[in-house]
Amino acid sequence: MSKCNDNVLGDIRVLDLTCGIGEYAAKLYAQIGTEVIHVEPVTGDPLRQKGPFCKDQVDENGGLEFLYCNLGKKSLALDLSDGAGKQIFKKLCKTADVLIESFPPGYMDRLGLGYETLEKINSKLVYTAITPFGQTGPYSGYPFSDLTLMALGGFLFLAGNDDNKPVRAFGEQAFQMGASYAAIGSMIALYHARHTGEGQFIDVSMQSCVATALENSIQWYDLQGVNRRNVGVEAGLGIYRCKDGYVCIVAAFGKTRAMWETFLGWIEKDGAKDIKELKSEKWFEPTYRKTDEARETFKRIFEDYSRQRTKLYLYEESQKNRAVVFPVSNGKDIFEDKQFNYRKIFKNIYHPAIDTEVCFPTTGFEMSGTDVEITVPAPTRGQHSAEILKELGYSDNDIEGLLIGGCIYG
């Protein structure tokens, strides 16, 4: 099948009012060909000031997170608190299919730009609001951070071992979960609007999104009264050192003999020493493998073997021998990974504002009939302000006056 190069959702317009939180939602739309207009303050999206920066040079166009989250978008720098700015925004909303924002509950209403106002202007508009706890409820007005949302959503507790303190996953996982669900919910509502002519309000609670990622821990408590946590530190299960970093192994699971015997058979054949110490019946009991004695013994024997071998060697040889060993990949490993490079997961995009190419991951999927590829870098602040206003019917003189008055930037 030959691939079509037309934009998949090129007839859809998304207004992205997220600033620092939720920008990934609209980025997902831009990635599949949707026109996304990032409506940012005239002073610039705060995410532009967040490092790290390209080449370690502080530049509002060089923040790596901003560059990634805003690939393929347009920028309209607009003062929504200004009367003229509000009129421009309302005109823009007449042309939009989806609006995504991440302001505190009630902020857009206080500006006179909330959903009840905008739906009267465009009845098909899908309005999606991403907030920490949702628009309603006892926590709706509480301060927050990604860490507090991970804690209140249950993810921190789940990640800890036994009685040890909770462990936080790296990065802003709660924010990303909220953005992903916002994109999905918006698409469902957009499909509904296309068929019925009716838009709707999508209320995204990042805390609720986190709670959906807890696997079966809620059911454990509901049905058994047990607060489930991680499986704990157990010999033959977890992270171990190797010659050039770390590997994650699963040599044991419950009382399953096959996994343990297969794993030991492979490393013994490959030169591991003192394997006899790991072959007695007690090693098939999870309770023993969780003891300090078992963990220390296994660590000593396996790392004596693994520290002489690279993570790639251990991974590839384990696959040949039907054992479970995976490399713990760092940035360099990912960049050089044969599988990623075979599937061309990375793409260099030139950004003229910083005069350099930046490497980005593309989509996590391939389509047999559609060519989905972003080629346009993140916009400079207000790069498309004049273009968008002209489309809305503003003259060059009008635009010049708005620029001088500080209502827009570009």
Side-chain angles (χ1 to χ4, degrees):
M1 179 187 293
S2 60
K3 289 192 176 185
C4 172
N5 290 317
D6 293 338
N7 287 341
V8 183
L9 300 174
D11 62 335
I12 294 172
R13 171 171 279 182
V14 174
L15 304 184
D16 173 21
L17 276 73
T18 60
C19 284
I21 297 172
E23 298 194 35
Y24 185 68
K27 187 258 184 188
L28 292 173
Y29 281 88
Q31 196 156 327
I32 53 176
T34 306
E35 182 192 26
V36 177
I37 299 174
H38 185 40
V39 182
E40 57 182 309
V42 290
T43 54
D45 181 344
L47 192 60
R48 290 182 179 274
Q49 306 303 323
K50 183 179 178 181
F53 294 91
C54 185
K55 298 180 180 179
D56 290 327
Q57 297 179 1
V58 178
D59 185 317
E60 70 170 35
N61 295 309
L64 296 183
E65 186 174 348
F66 180 85
L67 290 175
Y68 174 70
C69 288
N70 291 281
L71 281 170
K73 298 180 184 179
K74 296 179 179 180
S75 170
L76 167 61
L78 180 66
D79 183 358
L80 292 178
S81 67
D82 181 85
K86 292 178 181 180
Q87 290 304 312
I88 293 170
F89 185 69
K90 288 178 179 179
K91 287 185 178 181
L92 185 61
C93 284
K94 288 183 181 179
T95 72
D97 299 282
V98 177
L99 183 156
I100 305 174
E101 53 103 332
S102 58
F103 296 114
Y107 177 81
M108 291 292 281
D109 290 320
R110 291 191 292 274
L111 288 178
L113 300 173
Y115 176 66
E116 291 186 1
T117 298
L118 298 181
E119 72 166 335
K120 295 174 183 177
I121 296 172
N122 180 354
S123 62
K124 295 182 180 180
L125 181 66
V126 173
Y127 186 118
T128 300
I130 307 170
T131 56
F133 305 105
Q135 300 289 313
T136 58
Y139 297 171
S140 60
Y142 280 13
F144 71 99
S145 68
D146 184 83
L147 177 61
T148 59
L149 293 172
M150 295 287 281
L152 285 164
F155 206 80
L156 287 191
F157 183 82
L158 183 64
N161 292 324
D162 300 324
D163 292 328
N164 294 330
K165 67 180 181 180
V167 178
R168 181 189 183 187
F170 179 78
E172 297 175 331
Q173 299 297 322
F175 293 173
Q176 295 296 71
M177 290 181 200
S180 298
Y181 274 95
I184 295 169
S186 299
M187 183 60 74
I188 295 170
L190 178 61
Y191 185 83
H192 174 83
R194 286 290 175 97
H195 282 265
T196 66
E198 299 175 353
Q200 57 187 296
F201 183 83
I202 313 298
D203 179 6
V204 179
S205 158
M206 289 186 280
Q207 181 198 23
S208 298
C209 295
V210 171
T212 68
L214 305 184
E215 298 180 344
N216 57 10
S217 62
I218 295 174
Q219 288 72 37
W220 272 43
Y221 182 77
D222 179 38
L223 300 175
Q224 302 181 53
V226 175
N227 279 316
R228 180 199 155 187
R229 299 201 79 188
N230 199 353
V231 293
V233 180
E234 182 177 324
L237 182 64
I239 308 298
Y240 293 87
R241 285 189 176 275
C242 62
K243 186 176 182 178
D244 58 347
Y246 299 89
V247 289
C248 178
I249 74 173
V250 184
F253 192 82
K255 296 186 177 183
T256 305
R257 302 180 70 93
M259 291 182 70
W260 189 257
E261 292 171 345
T262 298
F263 181 84
L264 295 185
W266 160 50
I267 64 173
E268 184 176 36
K269 181 178 64 176
D270 199 40
K273 300 175 182 178
D274 301 325
I275 295 299
K276 288 183 179 180
E277 293 185 45
L278 305 176
K279 290 186 175 182
S280 62
E281 285 296 314
K282 64 185 178 182
W283 288 97
F284 297 107
E285 292 294 332
T287 52
Y288 174 72
R289 293 197 303 268
K290 290 182 180 180
T291 64
D292 290 341
E293 177 186 74
R295 292 196 294 260
E296 291 168 6
T297 301
F298 183 86
K299 184 175 186 292
R300 170 177 55 81
I301 293 173
F302 179 72
E303 289 194 351
D304 181 60
Y305 162 79
S306 63
R307 283 175 180 268
Q308 309 304 314
R309 292 158 177 83
T310 66
K311 63 180 79 171
L312 183 59
Y313 174 87
L314 291 168
Y315 172 50
E316 293 182 341
E317 290 300 310
S318 71
Q319 293 297 299
K320 294 175 185 177
N321 288 275
R322 302 183 66 80
V324 185
V325 178
F326 289 90
V328 178
S329 298
N330 55 32
K332 179 177 181 293
D333 297 327
I334 293 171
F335 198 72
E336 297 175 352
D337 186 272
K338 291 187 293 185
Q339 180 70 13
F340 284 144
N341 283 293
Y342 180 86
R343 290 179 63 86
K344 299 179 181 178
I345 191 69
F346 300 112
K347 179 179 178 60
N348 290 327
I349 297 180
Y350 177 73
H351 199 307
I354 54 176
D355 190 28
T356 192
E357 283 192 339
V358 182
C359 181
F360 298 99
T362 57
T363 59
F365 56 85
E366 292 182 358
M367 301 178 70
S368 63
T370 307
D371 188 9
V372 180
E373 183 176 328
I374 289 182
T375 59
V376 180
T380 57
R381 174 164 49 113
Q383 180 178 341
H384 305 91
S385 295
E387 170 192 325
I388 294 166
L389 264 62
K390 284 182 179 180
E391 180 197 318
L392 296 176
Y394 289 86
S395 68
D396 289 339
N397 287 336
D398 293 333
I399 295 170
E400 183 66 23
L402 292 166
L403 284 167
I404 294 172
C407 178
I408 64 171
Y409 180 91

Short mmCIF file of all heavy atoms in Angstrom, two decimals, residues 171-224:
data_model
loop_
_atom_site.label_atom_id
_atom_site.label_comp_id
_atom_site.label_asym_id
_atom_site.label_seq_id
_atom_site.Cartn_x
_atom_site.Cartn_y
_atom_site.Cartn_z
N GLY A 171 10.77 12.35 36.40
CA GLY A 171 10.01 13.16 35.47
C GLY A 171 8.63 13.53 36.00
O GLY A 171 8.25 13.17 37.12
N GLU A 172 7.88 14.25 35.20
CA GLU A 172 6.56 14.74 35.61
C GLU A 172 5.49 13.77 35.10
O GLU A 172 4.74 14.06 34.16
CB GLU A 172 6.36 16.16 35.09
CG GLU A 172 7.36 17.15 35.70
CD GLU A 172 7.27 18.54 35.11
OE1 GLU A 172 6.88 18.67 33.93
OE2 GLU A 172 7.60 19.50 35.82
N GLN A 173 5.42 12.62 35.74
CA GLN A 173 4.55 11.55 35.28
C GLN A 173 3.07 11.92 35.39
O GLN A 173 2.28 11.60 34.51
CB GLN A 173 4.84 10.28 36.07
CG GLN A 173 6.25 9.75 35.93
CD GLN A 173 6.59 9.35 34.51
OE1 GLN A 173 5.75 8.81 33.79
NE2 GLN A 173 7.81 9.61 34.08
N ALA A 174 2.68 12.58 36.47
CA ALA A 174 1.27 12.96 36.63
C ALA A 174 0.84 13.95 35.56
O ALA A 174 -0.25 13.84 34.99
CB ALA A 174 1.05 13.56 38.02
N PHE A 175 1.71 14.92 35.26
CA PHE A 175 1.40 15.89 34.22
C PHE A 175 1.24 15.20 32.87
O PHE A 175 0.34 15.52 32.09
CB PHE A 175 2.50 16.95 34.12
CG PHE A 175 2.60 17.86 35.32
CD1 PHE A 175 3.65 18.77 35.42
CD2 PHE A 175 1.67 17.81 36.35
CE1 PHE A 175 3.76 19.62 36.52
CE2 PHE A 175 1.77 18.66 37.45
CZ PHE A 175 2.82 19.56 37.54
N GLN A 176 2.11 14.25 32.58
CA GLN A 176 2.05 13.56 31.29
C GLN A 176 0.82 12.68 31.19
O GLN A 176 0.20 12.56 30.13
CB GLN A 176 3.31 12.72 31.09
CG GLN A 176 4.60 13.53 30.98
CD GLN A 176 4.62 14.44 29.76
OE1 GLN A 176 3.90 15.44 29.70
NE2 GLN A 176 5.45 14.10 28.79
N MET A 177 0.45 12.04 32.31
CA MET A 177 -0.77 11.23 32.30
C MET A 177 -1.99 12.10 32.03
O MET A 177 -2.87 11.75 31.23
CB MET A 177 -0.94 10.51 33.64
CG MET A 177 0.06 9.41 33.91
SD MET A 177 -0.27 8.62 35.51
CE MET A 177 1.33 7.85 35.83
N GLY A 178 -2.04 13.26 32.69
CA GLY A 178 -3.15 14.17 32.46
C GLY A 178 -3.23 14.64 31.02
O GLY A 178 -4.31 14.70 30.43
N ALA A 179 -2.08 14.95 30.44
CA ALA A 179 -2.05 15.41 29.05
C ALA A 179 -2.50 14.31 28.10
O ALA A 179 -3.24 14.56 27.14
CB ALA A 179 -0.63 15.86 28.69
N SER A 180 -2.08 13.08 28.35
CA SER A 180 -2.45 11.96 27.48
C SER A 180 -3.96 11.72 27.53
O SER A 180 -4.61 11.53 26.48
CB SER A 180 -1.70 10.70 27.89
OG SER A 180 -0.30 10.87 27.76
N TYR A 181 -4.52 11.71 28.73
CA TYR A 181 -5.97 11.52 28.84
C TYR A 181 -6.73 12.69 28.25
O TYR A 181 -7.83 12.51 27.70
CB TYR A 181 -6.36 11.30 30.30
CG TYR A 181 -6.26 9.86 30.73
CD1 TYR A 181 -5.12 9.37 31.37
CD2 TYR A 181 -7.30 8.96 30.49
CE1 TYR A 181 -5.01 8.05 31.75
CE2 TYR A 181 -7.20 7.63 30.87
CZ TYR A 181 -6.06 7.18 31.50
OH TYR A 181 -5.96 5.87 31.87
N ALA A 182 -6.18 13.89 28.35
CA ALA A 182 -6.83 15.05 27.73
C ALA A 182 -6.91 14.89 26.22
O ALA A 182 -7.93 15.21 25.60
CB ALA A 182 -6.06 16.33 28.09
N ALA A 183 -5.84 14.39 25.62
CA ALA A 183 -5.83 14.17 24.18
C ALA A 183 -6.87 13.12 23.78
O ALA A 183 -7.60 13.29 22.80
CB ALA A 183 -4.44 13.75 23.72
N ILE A 184 -6.93 12.04 24.55
CA ILE A 184 -7.89 10.97 24.24
C ILE A 184 -9.32 11.45 24.42
O ILE A 184 -10.19 11.26 23.55
CB ILE A 184 -7.62 9.75 25.14
CG1 ILE A 184 -6.26 9.14 24.83
CG2 ILE A 184 -8.72 8.69 24.95
CD1 ILE A 184 -5.79 8.12 25.83
N GLY A 185 -9.60 12.09 25.56
CA GLY A 185 -10.95 12.58 25.81
C GLY A 185 -11.39 13.60 24.78
O GLY A 185 -12.55 13.59 24.34
N SER A 186 -10.47 14.46 24.37
CA SER A 186 -10.79 15.47 23.35
C SER A 186 -11.12 14.82 22.02
O SER A 186 -12.04 15.26 21.32
CB SER A 186 -9.61 16.43 23.18
OG SER A 186 -9.33 17.11 24.38
N MET A 187 -10.39 13.77 21.67
CA MET A 187 -10.64 13.09 20.40
C MET A 187 -12.01 12.40 20.41
O MET A 187 -12.74 12.43 19.40
CB MET A 187 -9.54 12.07 20.12
CG MET A 187 -9.69 11.35 18.78
SD MET A 187 -9.66 12.47 17.36
CE MET A 187 -7.91 12.89 17.32
N ILE A 188 -12.37 11.78 21.52
CA ILE A 188 -13.69 11.15 21.62
C ILE A 188 -14.78 12.21 21.48
O ILE A 188 -15.77 12.02 20.74
CB ILE A 188 -13.83 10.42 22.97
CG1 ILE A 188 -12.83 9.26 23.05
CG2 ILE A 188 -15.26 9.91 23.16
CD1 ILE A 188 -12.72 8.63 24.42
N ALA A 189 -14.61 13.34 22.17
CA ALA A 189 -15.61 14.40 22.10
C ALA A 189 -15.65 15.02 20.71
O ALA A 189 -16.73 15.43 20.23
CB ALA A 189 -15.30 15.47 23.15
N LEU A 190 -14.51 15.11 20.06
CA LEU A 190 -14.46 15.66 18.69
C LEU A 190 -15.22 14.75 17.73
O LEU A 190 -15.97 15.22 16.87
CB LEU A 190 -13.00 15.79 18.26
CG LEU A 190 -12.76 16.30 16.83
CD1 LEU A 190 -13.33 17.70 16.66
CD2 LEU A 190 -11.26 16.30 16.52
N TYR A 191 -15.04 13.45 17.89
CA TYR A 191 -15.77 12.49 17.06
C TYR A 191 -17.27 12.66 17.28
O TYR A 191 -18.06 12.66 16.32
CB TYR A 191 -15.33 11.07 17.43
CG TYR A 191 -15.91 9.99 16.57
CD1 TYR A 191 -15.35 9.67 15.33
CD2 TYR A 191 -17.04 9.27 16.98
CE1 TYR A 191 -15.89 8.67 14.53
CE2 TYR A 191 -17.58 8.27 16.20
CZ TYR A 191 -17.00 7.98 14.98
OH TYR A 191 -17.54 6.99 14.19
N HIS A 192 -17.66 12.84 18.54
CA HIS A 192 -19.08 13.05 18.87
C HIS A 192 -19.58 14.34 18.22
O HIS A 192 -20.69 14.37 17.65
CB HIS A 192 -19.23 13.12 20.39
CG HIS A 192 -20.61 13.48 20.85
ND1 HIS A 192 -21.63 12.55 20.96
CD2 HIS A 192 -21.16 14.67 21.23
CE1 HIS A 192 -22.72 13.14 21.38
NE2 HIS A 192 -22.47 14.43 21.56
N ALA A 193 -18.79 15.41 18.30
CA ALA A 193 -19.20 16.69 17.73
C ALA A 193 -19.36 16.61 16.22
O ALA A 193 -20.27 17.23 15.65
CB ALA A 193 -18.19 17.77 18.11
N ARG A 194 -18.47 15.86 15.59
CA ARG A 194 -18.55 15.72 14.13
C ARG A 194 -19.85 15.02 13.70
O ARG A 194 -20.36 15.25 12.62
CB ARG A 194 -17.34 14.95 13.61
CG ARG A 194 -16.03 15.76 13.61
CD ARG A 194 -16.08 16.85 12.54
NE ARG A 194 -14.95 17.72 12.55
CZ ARG A 194 -13.89 17.61 11.74
NH1 ARG A 194 -13.81 16.60 10.90
NH2 ARG A 194 -12.92 18.49 11.79
N HIS A 195 -20.34 14.13 14.56
CA HIS A 195 -21.53 13.36 14.21
C HIS A 195 -22.83 14.01 14.68
O HIS A 195 -23.89 13.78 14.08
CB HIS A 195 -21.43 11.94 14.79
CG HIS A 195 -20.54 11.04 14.00
ND1 HIS A 195 -21.00 10.18 13.02
CD2 HIS A 195 -19.20 10.89 14.02
CE1 HIS A 195 -19.99 9.54 12.48
NE2 HIS A 195 -18.88 9.93 13.07
N THR A 196 -22.74 14.82 15.74
CA THR A 196 -23.97 15.38 16.31
C THR A 196 -24.06 16.90 16.22
O THR A 196 -25.13 17.47 16.40
CB THR A 196 -24.09 15.00 17.80
OG1 THR A 196 -23.02 15.63 18.53
CG2 THR A 196 -24.00 13.48 17.98
N GLY A 197 -22.92 17.54 15.97
CA GLY A 197 -22.90 18.99 15.98
C GLY A 197 -22.83 19.58 17.37
O GLY A 197 -22.96 20.80 17.54
N GLU A 198 -22.63 18.74 18.37
CA GLU A 198 -22.62 19.19 19.76
C GLU A 198 -21.23 19.08 20.37
O GLU A 198 -20.66 17.99 20.44
CB GLU A 198 -23.59 18.36 20.61
CG GLU A 198 -25.03 18.45 20.16
CD GLU A 198 -25.92 17.51 20.95
OE1 GLU A 198 -25.38 16.70 21.74
OE2 GLU A 198 -27.16 17.58 20.78
N GLY A 199 -20.69 20.22 20.81
CA GLY A 199 -19.45 20.20 21.55
C GLY A 199 -19.71 19.86 23.01
O GLY A 199 -20.85 19.63 23.41
N GLN A 200 -18.67 19.82 23.82
CA GLN A 200 -18.85 19.55 25.25
C GLN A 200 -17.62 19.95 26.04
O GLN A 200 -16.55 20.23 25.47
CB GLN A 200 -19.20 18.08 25.49
CG GLN A 200 -18.19 17.10 24.96
CD GLN A 200 -18.69 15.66 25.10
OE1 GLN A 200 -18.90 15.17 26.20
NE2 GLN A 200 -18.88 15.00 23.96
N PHE A 201 -17.77 19.94 27.36
CA PHE A 201 -16.70 20.30 28.28
C PHE A 201 -16.06 19.02 28.81
O PHE A 201 -16.73 18.13 29.31
CB PHE A 201 -17.25 21.13 29.43
CG PHE A 201 -16.21 21.61 30.40
CD1 PHE A 201 -15.49 22.76 30.14
CD2 PHE A 201 -15.96 20.92 31.58
CE1 PHE A 201 -14.52 23.22 31.03
CE2 PHE A 201 -15.01 21.37 32.48
CZ PHE A 201 -14.28 22.52 32.20
N ILE A 202 -14.72 18.93 28.71
CA ILE A 202 -13.97 17.77 29.19
C ILE A 202 -13.20 18.20 30.43
O ILE A 202 -12.32 19.05 30.36
CB ILE A 202 -13.00 17.23 28.13
CG1 ILE A 202 -13.67 17.11 26.76
CG2 ILE A 202 -12.39 15.91 28.58
CD1 ILE A 202 -14.83 16.16 26.73
N ASP A 203 -13.52 17.59 31.56
CA ASP A 203 -12.92 17.94 32.86
C ASP A 203 -11.88 16.88 33.21
O ASP A 203 -12.23 15.77 33.62
CB ASP A 203 -14.03 18.00 33.91
CG ASP A 203 -13.51 18.33 35.31
OD1 ASP A 203 -12.31 18.63 35.45
OD2 ASP A 203 -14.33 18.29 36.25
N VAL A 204 -10.60 17.19 33.04
CA VAL A 204 -9.52 16.23 33.28
C VAL A 204 -8.88 16.48 34.64
O VAL A 204 -8.36 17.56 34.90
CB VAL A 204 -8.43 16.33 32.18
CG1 VAL A 204 -7.30 15.33 32.46
CG2 VAL A 204 -9.04 16.08 30.81
N SER A 205 -8.94 15.48 35.50
CA SER A 205 -8.28 15.53 36.81
C SER A 205 -6.99 14.72 36.72
O SER A 205 -7.02 13.51 36.47
CB SER A 205 -9.19 14.93 37.89
OG SER A 205 -8.43 14.50 39.01
N MET A 206 -5.86 15.38 36.91
CA MET A 206 -4.59 14.67 36.85
C MET A 206 -4.48 13.63 37.96
O MET A 206 -3.89 12.56 37.78
CB MET A 206 -3.42 15.65 36.89
CG MET A 206 -3.27 16.46 35.62
SD MET A 206 -1.80 17.51 35.57
CE MET A 206 -2.35 18.91 36.55
N GLN A 207 -5.04 13.92 39.13
CA GLN A 207 -5.04 12.93 40.22
C GLN A 207 -5.78 11.67 39.78
O GLN A 207 -5.31 10.55 40.03
CB GLN A 207 -5.70 13.52 41.47
CG GLN A 207 -5.71 12.54 42.65
CD GLN A 207 -6.71 12.91 43.73
OE1 GLN A 207 -7.68 13.61 43.46
NE2 GLN A 207 -6.47 12.44 44.93
N SER A 208 -6.93 11.83 39.14
CA SER A 208 -7.69 10.68 38.67
C SER A 208 -6.92 9.90 37.60
O SER A 208 -6.98 8.67 37.57
CB SER A 208 -9.04 11.13 38.11
OG SER A 208 -9.81 11.76 39.11
N CYS A 209 -6.22 10.63 36.74
CA CYS A 209 -5.44 9.96 35.70
C CYS A 209 -4.35 9.08 36.31
O CYS A 209 -4.09 7.97 35.85
CB CYS A 209 -4.82 10.99 34.76
SG CYS A 209 -6.03 11.93 33.81
N VAL A 210 -3.71 9.59 37.38
CA VAL A 210 -2.68 8.80 38.06
C VAL A 210 -3.29 7.52 38.63
O VAL A 210 -2.70 6.44 38.54
CB VAL A 210 -2.03 9.63 39.18
CG1 VAL A 210 -1.12 8.75 40.04
CG2 VAL A 210 -1.22 10.78 38.59
N ALA A 211 -4.48 7.63 39.19
CA ALA A 211 -5.12 6.47 39.82
C ALA A 211 -5.44 5.36 38.83
O ALA A 211 -5.58 4.20 39.21
CB ALA A 211 -6.39 6.90 40.55
N THR A 212 -5.54 5.70 37.53
CA THR A 212 -5.81 4.67 36.53
C THR A 212 -4.58 3.83 36.21
O THR A 212 -4.68 2.82 35.52
CB THR A 212 -6.32 5.29 35.22
OG1 THR A 212 -5.27 6.06 34.60
CG2 THR A 212 -7.52 6.19 35.45
N ALA A 213 -3.41 4.25 36.70
CA ALA A 213 -2.15 3.57 36.38
C ALA A 213 -1.68 2.65 37.50
O ALA A 213 -0.53 2.25 37.54
CB ALA A 213 -1.07 4.59 36.06
N LEU A 214 -2.57 2.30 38.42
CA LEU A 214 -2.18 1.53 39.60
C LEU A 214 -2.37 0.03 39.43
O LEU A 214 -2.37 -0.72 40.40
CB LEU A 214 -2.97 2.01 40.83
CG LEU A 214 -2.89 3.50 41.14
CD1 LEU A 214 -3.64 3.82 42.42
CD2 LEU A 214 -1.44 3.97 41.24
N GLU A 215 -2.56 -0.41 38.18
CA GLU A 215 -2.78 -1.83 37.88
C GLU A 215 -3.94 -2.35 38.74
O GLU A 215 -5.02 -1.80 38.68
CB GLU A 215 -1.49 -2.62 38.09
CG GLU A 215 -0.36 -2.19 37.17
CD GLU A 215 0.92 -2.96 37.38
OE1 GLU A 215 1.07 -3.64 38.42
OE2 GLU A 215 1.79 -2.89 36.50
N ASN A 216 -3.72 -3.37 39.54
CA ASN A 216 -4.83 -3.96 40.30
C ASN A 216 -4.76 -3.65 41.79
O ASN A 216 -5.39 -4.34 42.61
CB ASN A 216 -4.87 -5.48 40.10
CG ASN A 216 -3.56 -6.14 40.49
OD1 ASN A 216 -2.68 -5.51 41.09
ND2 ASN A 216 -3.41 -7.41 40.15
N SER A 217 -4.01 -2.62 42.18
CA SER A 217 -3.82 -2.35 43.60
C SER A 217 -5.13 -1.94 44.29
O SER A 217 -5.36 -2.27 45.46
CB SER A 217 -2.76 -1.27 43.81
OG SER A 217 -3.16 -0.06 43.23
N ILE A 218 -6.00 -1.22 43.59
CA ILE A 218 -7.27 -0.81 44.18
C ILE A 218 -8.15 -2.03 44.40
O ILE A 218 -8.83 -2.16 45.43
CB ILE A 218 -7.97 0.23 43.29
CG1 ILE A 218 -7.13 1.52 43.23
CG2 ILE A 218 -9.38 0.53 43.80
CD1 ILE A 218 -7.66 2.56 42.28
N GLN A 219 -8.13 -2.97 43.46
CA GLN A 219 -8.92 -4.19 43.60
C GLN A 219 -8.38 -5.06 44.75
O GLN A 219 -9.15 -5.72 45.45
CB GLN A 219 -8.91 -4.99 42.29
CG GLN A 219 -9.73 -4.36 41.17
CD GLN A 219 -9.07 -3.12 40.60
OE1 GLN A 219 -7.85 -3.06 40.48
NE2 GLN A 219 -9.87 -2.13 40.24
N TRP A 220 -7.06 -5.07 44.92
CA TRP A 220 -6.48 -5.81 46.04
C TRP A 220 -7.08 -5.32 47.36
O TRP A 220 -7.45 -6.12 48.22
CB TRP A 220 -4.95 -5.61 46.06
CG TRP A 220 -4.21 -6.60 45.22
CD1 TRP A 220 -4.52 -7.03 43.97
CD2 TRP A 220 -2.99 -7.26 45.58
NE1 TRP A 220 -3.58 -7.90 43.50
CE2 TRP A 220 -2.62 -8.08 44.47
CE3 TRP A 220 -2.16 -7.25 46.70
CZ2 TRP A 220 -1.48 -8.86 44.47
CZ3 TRP A 220 -1.01 -8.03 46.70
CH2 TRP A 220 -0.68 -8.83 45.60
N TYR A 221 -7.14 -4.00 47.51
CA TYR A 221 -7.68 -3.46 48.76
C TYR A 221 -9.18 -3.71 48.88
O TYR A 221 -9.69 -4.08 49.94
CB TYR A 221 -7.39 -1.96 48.88
CG TYR A 221 -7.88 -1.40 50.18
CD1 TYR A 221 -7.16 -1.61 51.36
CD2 TYR A 221 -9.08 -0.71 50.25
CE1 TYR A 221 -7.62 -1.14 52.58
CE2 TYR A 221 -9.55 -0.22 51.47
CZ TYR A 221 -8.82 -0.45 52.62
OH TYR A 221 -9.29 0.02 53.82
N ASP A 222 -9.88 -3.52 47.77
CA ASP A 222 -11.33 -3.68 47.78
C ASP A 222 -11.73 -5.12 48.12
O ASP A 222 -12.64 -5.36 48.92
CB ASP A 222 -11.89 -3.28 46.41
CG ASP A 222 -13.39 -3.44 46.32
OD1 ASP A 222 -14.07 -3.15 47.33
OD2 ASP A 222 -13.89 -3.84 45.26
N LEU A 223 -11.05 -6.08 47.52
CA LEU A 223 -11.45 -7.48 47.66
C LEU A 223 -10.74 -8.22 48.79
O LEU A 223 -11.28 -9.18 49.35
CB LEU A 223 -11.20 -8.23 46.35
CG LEU A 223 -11.95 -7.68 45.12
CD1 LEU A 223 -11.54 -8.41 43.87
CD2 LEU A 223 -13.46 -7.80 45.33
N GLN A 224 -9.50 -7.79 49.12
CA GLN A 224 -8.73 -8.52 50.11
C GLN A 224 -8.29 -7.69 51.32
O GLN A 224 -7.74 -8.23 52.28
CB GLN A 224 -7.47 -9.10 49.45
CG GLN A 224 -7.76 -10.04 48.28
CD GLN A 224 -6.48 -10.60 47.69
OE1 GLN A 224 -5.66 -11.16 48.40
NE2 GLN A 224 -6.32 -10.44 46.38
#
